[in-house]
Amino acid sequence: MRDTIKHRGMRNNLAEVLANKGIIDEKVLDAIREVPRHLFLDSSFEAHAYQDKAFPIGADQTISQPYTVAFQTELLQVSPGQKILEIGTGSGYQTAVLLTLRTKVYTIERQQELFKKTKLFFGKMGYRPRKLVFGDGYKGLPDEAPFERIIVTAGAPEVPKPLLAQLSIGGRLVIPVGIEDQIMTLFIRKSEKEFEKKELGNFRFVPLLENKN
Ligand code: SAH
């Protein structure tokens, strides 16, 4: 598969659809216009890649719907050079959106099959996260903490404590919380002990799975 003018046109339309759904951050919309989502999917989905829909990516997982990616990215309020932790690399699409915004991304995936596939794909595409880790995102990445931004791209039954602990003061954590469906939740770290919490609408994610071993 290649990236063509036709794909670019479809991405421009997608950005417009997302703007109509309420995404206002032009930098986020520009990243959506830039990242070739069809290349993150199996070729059988190519014709549909720029619809605002989630699709299977193997290992029972899905690539998030573009609106969800844009909504979470907008909530994060990233600026270039920021250090970001992502839980749930999956297809790598959200990672690529964050890299396009010139941030330093550390990303964790717990499914080996997806981890390997996305690692190869990033190499081929020239996407360079600071770290692509095979592991349990519940624990975060204590050795690399603190992070200015943390994004969780799977539904968390509860907020993992290590993630709050690994957020820098002034930092933002965006996490969908819930079991059947999830409430998008934003935490802003005000001080060592205080977090401001905002709830921002309902979404549906695949579950964040804790590694019990
Ligand atoms: N950001 C991805 C979304 C993938 S769906 C994309 O744009 O494609 C959520 C991903 O979270 C899945 O790949 C799933 O395997 C992963 N995941 C679930 N529980 C996890 C955990 N505890 N640690 C890290 N990744 C996890």
Side-chain angles (χ1 to χ4, degrees):
M1 274 196 291
R2 297 178 304 133
D3 190 24
T4 65
I5 300 246
K6 191 183 90 191
H7 295 109
R8 283 200 169 266
M10 291 194 279
R11 286 204 288 284
N12 286 337
N13 291 341
L14 174 62
E16 207 174 301
V17 167
L18 301 182
N20 287 332
K21 289 186 178 177
I23 303 299
I24 53 174
D25 187 334
E26 272 302 321
K27 287 199 227 90
V28 173
L29 293 171
D30 278 345
I32 298 285
R33 287 183 190 104
E34 193 145 329
V35 180
R37 188 172 188 251
H38 64 289
L39 301 181
F40 292 74
L41 292 166
D42 191 89
S43 56
S44 56
F45 296 109
E46 186 182 0
H48 309 288
Y50 296 105
Q51 293 173 358
D52 189 19
K53 286 186 183 155
F55 291 105
I57 52 171
D60 281 334
Q61 305 303 321
T62 54
I63 181 172
S64 299
Q65 190 183 332
Y67 175 72
T68 305
V69 172
F71 189 85
Q72 288 196 278
T73 309
E74 185 168 83
L75 273 182
L76 274 183
Q77 291 185 5
V78 302
S79 39
Q82 268 176 346
K83 201 172 154 190
I84 307 192
L85 176 64
E86 178 192 29
I87 312 301
T89 317
S91 70
Y93 178 70
Q94 172 75 68
T95 318
V97 165
L98 293 169
L99 289 171
T100 300
L101 292 163
R102 295 191 287 133
T103 58
K104 300 171 188 158
V105 187
Y106 297 70
T107 182
I108 312 179
E109 173 56 55
R110 78 180 286 282
Q111 297 260 13
Q112 184 133 38
E113 180 191 333
L114 282 174
F115 164 77
K116 284 188 181 154
K117 191 168 150 192
T118 300
K119 192 177 170 137
L120 270 175
F121 175 71
F122 279 168
K124 208 173 79 188
M125 295 288 292
Y127 287 118
R128 291 199 184 80
R130 285 300 156 112
K131 282 209 169 145
L132 173 56
V133 179
F134 172 60
D136 182 8
Y138 253 90
K139 302 184 178 70
L141 274 186
D143 291 349
E144 305 287 348
F147 296 94
E148 293 165 285
R149 300 289 185 263
I150 302 179
I151 176 171
V152 180
T153 71
E158 79 232 77
V159 182
K161 296 246 158 54
L163 299 187
L164 287 169
Q166 289 170 34
L167 199 58
S168 55
I169 311 278
R172 299 164 80 90
L173 163 66
V174 174
I175 178 169
V177 184
I179 295 169
E180 278 289 299
D181 50 12
Q182 292 83 29
I183 299 175
M184 192 64 75
T185 312
L186 166 67
F187 289 90
I188 303 173
R189 187 166 204 171
K190 294 291 177 186
S191 66
E192 193 58 41
K193 295 233 165 76
E194 284 166 286
F195 293 84
E196 180 184 334
K197 179 181 168 187
K198 290 187 186 161
E199 296 186 335
L200 299 134
N202 287 283
F203 288 81
R204 189 163 279 213
F205 285 80
V206 295
L208 183 72
L209 300 169
E210 191 168 6
N211 219 337
K212 301 282 184 192
N213 350 298

